[in-house]
Amino acid sequence: MSKIAVVLLSGGLDSTTTLAIARNERYDCYVMSFRYGQRNKVELQCAENIAKLMGAKQHNIIDIDLRTFGASALTDDIDVPKGRSDVEMEDGIPITYVPARNTIFLSYALAWAEVLAADTIFIGVNAIDYSGYPDCRPEYISAYQEMANLATQAGVEGPTKLTIRTPLIDKTKTEIIRIGTALGVDYSLTLSCYDPDVDGQACGECDSCVLRKKGFENAGISDPTRYR
Amino acid sequence: MSKIAVVLLSGGLDSTTTLAIARNERYDCYVMSFRYGQRNKVELQCAENIAKLMGAKQHNIIDIDLRTFGASALTDDIDVPKGRSDVEMEDGIPITYVPARNTIFLSYALAWAEVLAADTIFIGVNAIDYSGYPDCRPEYISAYQEMANLATQAGVEGPTKLTIRTPLIDKTKTEIIRIGTALGVDYSLTLSCYDPDVDGQACGECDSCVLRKKGFENAGISDPTRYR
């Protein structure tokens, strides 16, 4: 019997590597992305290309409107911070944090998992290089999993238990790039920049670009990112 | 300082009573409803009227598309079951269950609560008269609250902890109607029917109508519902 997983995919480096890991474990991957008023529209085009090329069984793009709630540089007209040092990045929760974003994303994934009878959700959160986001921490994911198993029909009638897999949660960007490269991920298809131009060229200066650049450097792998 | 709460309101009897309870406790109520492809459109009109009349600070109607996932008589073209006995209603999870619905609703409420710096979310779930829904049970709500406090900026930096209040969870329909009536709720504004006509007249025969009817009878309060 085939194993079924819902895989959250933003089109960035981490979620694409996560999809490669799920595929490598022979899951049938049902890929889910979100159009949530992000300023970065090119990201979703990347997600579509990646889902297709990496053999997703289905790619579901959900429209949700987080702009209702405002309060983030990724959805509002607040400037994305650039050129920050490691120390500055580690200082508190960044302005690019979107309220309850992973909680909303996982809730849609949970609904789809229930309908598909999937027993696994993959999400590419990372607690090392983005430690400022509360909803990327292992204790959050484990609390989410516990809640999810009480929320659903499968959880009540069981024995199918839902697992939320976060294969990258304790990995550095360098390790992630090495894992993905070993699995054949073509990182030129991915976009990590918080502030790309319309052609999908990265700024090279936002927190996300800086971490990605350094990751390729440290991995000793040539960086295929198109910088403007 | 004013107390701020996000209150989930469907326009039905339970959520309207919950709003009355929150208002009675002097919360500033930020009311949230969802357009989720429910067949019952009149319900949202009821929610709008109720929010306005009951002094909501703001009423936010969120568009979400649960039809993507199918699998419920409330969103699909499956017949709503009618004329079922108590025993039949207690047998398993009803077909009107929407996958992960409360989890998705609470996740949006959580995002809004974080932006508003609200420390309370009110939801009118009930574990007595709807015991078939997994996401109406106290253990689910308490797991959700634990997860929510790990998910957000407030939870990390806090002392502000988020509480999910379910004042009706252990009440019978009769008790709920008595509480609401004592707080001055006009139940003629509410709609509980799973299958109303376009004028908002109730069928009188679905599980929800049957429970509501019996509630008014047992409370000895005259039923203002417009049946067709």
Side-chain angles (χ1 to χ4, degrees), chain A residues 106-152:
Chain A
L106 282 171
S107 302
Y108 279 95
L110 177 63
W112 205 20
E114 184 161 21
V115 172
L116 293 167
D119 64 2
T120 309
I121 294 172
F122 280 89
I123 179 169
V125 295
N126 184 276
I128 305 294
D129 283 337
Y130 289 87
S131 53
Y133 294 109
D135 54 0
C136 291
R137 297 173 301 156
E139 56 268 42
Y140 161 75
I141 295 292
S142 117
Y144 196 98
Q145 179 175 298
E146 190 151 320
M147 180 279 291
N149 277 303
L150 290 166
T152 59

Side-chain angles (χ1 to χ4, degrees), chain A residues 91-202:
Chain A
D91 185 26
I93 293 174
I95 186 81
T96 46
Y97 172 69
V98 176
R101 181 172 60 173
N102 283 345
T103 305
I104 293 176
F105 290 176
L106 282 171
S107 302
Y108 279 95
L110 177 63
W112 205 20
E114 184 161 21
V115 172
L116 293 167
D119 64 2
T120 309
I121 294 172
F122 280 89
I123 179 169
V125 295
N126 184 276
I128 305 294
D129 283 337
Y130 289 87
S131 53
Y133 294 109
D135 54 0
C136 291
R137 297 173 301 156
E139 56 268 42
Y140 161 75
I141 295 292
S142 117
Y144 196 98
Q145 179 175 298
E146 190 151 320
M147 180 279 291
N149 277 303
L150 290 166
T152 59
Q153 198 153 353
V156 173
E157 297 173 347
T160 309
K161 288 291 172 200
L162 185 83
T163 305
I164 301 188
R165 296 270 308 272
T166 56
L168 308 184
I169 201 157
D170 58 353
K171 302 280 185 283
T172 63
K173 199 58 86 188
T174 306
E175 291 171 319
I176 294 168
I177 290 168
R178 285 195 179 130
I179 292 166
T181 303
L183 294 173
V185 172
D186 176 359
Y187 285 117
S188 75
L189 298 170
T190 67
L191 181 69
S192 301
C193 179
Y194 287 148
D195 192 23
D197 66 17
V198 289
D199 301 320
Q201 298 189 104

Side-chain angles (χ1 to χ4, degrees), chain A residues 60 64 68 107-108 137 150, chain B residues 60 64 68 107-108 137 150:
Chain A
N60 201 342
I64 60 178
T68 313
S107 302
Y108 279 95
R137 297 173 301 156
L150 290 166
Chain B
N60 201 341
I64 60 178
T68 313
S107 301
Y108 279 95
R137 298 172 300 156
L150 290 166

